[in-house]
Amino acid sequence: MKRRNFIKNASLTGLGVVASSAAISCKNPSEEIIEKPTMKQTKKPTPIAICTWRFTEANATAGKALKAGKAALDAAIAGVEVEEENLKNTTVGIGGTPDREGNVTLDACVMNADGNCGSVLCVSTTKNVAALARKVMEETPHVMLAGEGAEAFAYEQGFEKENLLTDTAREAWQEWLKTSEYKPIINIENHDTIGMLTLDTNGDIAGACSTSGLSYKMKGRVGDSPIIGSGLFVDNEVGGAVATGMGEEILKTVGSFLIVELMRNGLSPQAACEEAVRRIVIKNENYKDFQVAYIALNKDGETGAYCIHEGFTMMKYQNGENEAIAVDFYHKK
Ligand code: ASP
């Protein structure tokens, strides 16, 4: 049995559920002695799905999948796919706004309860990039694939080749070219990257993040969304976090990893998100010009969210209810 599976099985059989930092030894001499980190979770959780922005249907899809007993990562990917396929969404998947040269390039990553992760960058010919990131995690020896290599791998895996630039997005881009002014808009159309965290009936946490990145970015630009630790991080012993907004600022502070580490050290998801936002604004006099938002979920099913500017919403599905939560913000005018 692999070390990772051994840890999981130990916790499922009850060995690891009780808060303990004691070593668990296994009778099989070929197995290592494993230090089981403290697990706070004491009761069987009700499933929870949370996601960035008012992606109501995506979050409900994930929540219902969890309720039906689906594993955390399956549910997160099913949820995110709703927006990857939504032609009207100009910031995720097909229909996304292109870079300044007219190329739609998608970024995504996933992370599961075992601490495994996969990521794809600058994918321009297939829309279900979160599922593709999962394939990278499961079917390759790598964590990240970019550009043409990721696309070739996608076809090998049976993903459909598609033109991601819709007529509407092309027309908007042609309009933009008239001024070519690059100024990312705060809360663009009130929806943006979809980042999702899920807690399943086993108490396992996973996450997925998918985006077309900033509108009219430079060709080749990649933000935080496919970068494990920045756009998304999950540690199944602690919880998870995802980000949306100005990717450059999230990258500089490795925001999602920071939030999970703060939760590990005892902060609530809410306090951890607030601290991660604070780390950005204290170093940026120009924070008034950009949005960053985080959401987080811990092992006990507590959630939190915080952002720089008013206008960010977190969706939360729990006990059959899918709630839109207006998130508190730093910049009170
Ligand atoms: N974080 C994404 C990026 O920088 C964009 C967004 O969420 O608004 O690519």
Side-chain angles (χ1 to χ4, degrees):
M1 201 189 298
K2 284 187 183 155
R3 173 189 162 95
R4 180 180 294 136
N5 291 340
F6 173 71
I7 295 173
K8 194 171 166 201
N9 289 349
S11 71
L12 287 177
T13 54
L15 282 172
V17 178
V18 180
S20 164
S21 59
I24 296 168
S25 64
C26 177
K27 283 179 188 153
N28 180 347
S30 66
E31 291 284 0
E32 303 165 58
I33 292 174
I34 292 164
E35 280 286 333
K36 185 77 187 73
T38 302
M39 287 184 74
K40 275 172 66 189
Q41 201 171 55
T42 50
K43 53 178 195 265
K44 203 171 162 64
T46 41
I48 299 173
I50 58 172
C51 81
T52 54
W53 305 103
R54 202 180 269 269
F55 292 127
T56 312
E57 194 193 328
N59 205 55
T61 300
K64 286 177 193 163
L66 292 168
K67 213 168 159 223
K70 288 263 189 288
L73 186 60
D74 292 334
I77 291 177
V80 161
E81 264 175 9
V82 170
E83 289 308 322
E84 290 174 339
E85 288 171 14
N86 177 1
L87 291 170
K88 291 195 178 134
N89 184 336
T90 58
T91 55
V92 181
I94 190 163
T97 306
D99 66 20
R100 57 189 66 176
E101 294 181 29
N103 315 293
V104 179
T105 58
L106 307 181
D107 304 322
C109 70
V110 297
M111 192 153 187
N112 73 10
D114 293 335
N116 274 340
C117 49
S119 153
V120 291
L121 291 69
C122 267
V123 171
S124 58
T125 55
T126 196
K127 66 186 172 214
N128 293 131
V129 277
L132 182 58
R134 180 189 200 156
K135 288 285 185 193
V136 172
M137 174 177 84
E138 291 176 348
E139 307 294 337
T140 80
H142 306 304
V143 167
M144 302 175 83
L145 287 181
E148 284 176 15
E151 288 160 11
F153 173 69
Y155 312 142
E156 244 176 69
Q157 293 294 320
F159 285 71
E160 207 183 319
K161 185 171 185 170
E162 277 177 282
N163 174 16
L164 303 179
L165 185 65
T166 58
D167 290 344
T168 315
R170 184 187 299 102
E171 281 158 25
W173 166 60
Q174 282 163 347
E175 198 51 39
W176 177 81
L177 282 176
K178 291 179 183 163
T179 58
S180 298
E181 194 192 352
Y182 180 65
K183 197 168 186 295
I185 303 160
I186 291 174
N187 299 332
I188 182 167
E189 293 164 353
N190 212 24
H191 61 76
D192 233 297
T193 296
I194 181 159
M196 184 171 286
L197 297 166
T198 46
L199 173 71
D200 66 23
T201 46
N202 281 331
D204 286 330
I205 296 178
C209 187
S210 185
T211 192
S212 56
L214 295 179
S215 304
Y216 313 125
K217 59 196 175 185
M218 286 175 71
K219 185 177 181 184
R221 180 267 184 190
V222 173
D224 61 300
S225 304
I227 308 300
I228 298 294
S230 289
L232 166 71
F233 194 73
V234 172
D235 183 329
N236 198 39
E237 300 294 340
V238 178
V242 280
T244 179
M246 186 58 75
E248 283 71 9
E249 302 307 325
I250 299 160
L251 282 165
K252 287 178 208 168
T253 47
V254 200
S256 293
F257 181 73
L258 172 64
I259 290 168
V260 173
E261 289 309 298
L262 290 168
M263 293 195 294
R264 189 193 307 282
N265 287 311
L267 263 63
S268 67
Q270 183 61 36
C273 289
E274 288 177 18
E275 173 60 13
V277 166
R278 195 190 69 85
R279 298 272 179 109
I280 291 175
V281 296
I282 54 167
K283 290 206 179 104
N284 275 292
E285 280 172 10
N286 63 336
Y287 71 83
K288 292 188 184 111
D289 299 333
F290 62 82
Q291 173 72 298
V292 167
Y294 291 109
I295 65 172
L297 167 70
N298 74 9
K299 200 67 181 159
D300 285 340
E302 294 164 346
T303 61
Y306 199 62
C307 57
I308 301 178
H309 297 283
E310 188 172 14
F312 174 64
T313 306
M314 174 176 79
M315 294 303 305
K316 179 172 179 177
Y317 184 102
Q318 189 173 19
N319 296 322
E321 275 187 33
N322 198 29
E323 193 188 353
I325 299 169
V327 172
D328 192 16
F329 51 95
Y330 179 88
H331 182 51
K332 308 261 166 39
K333 287 167 208 160

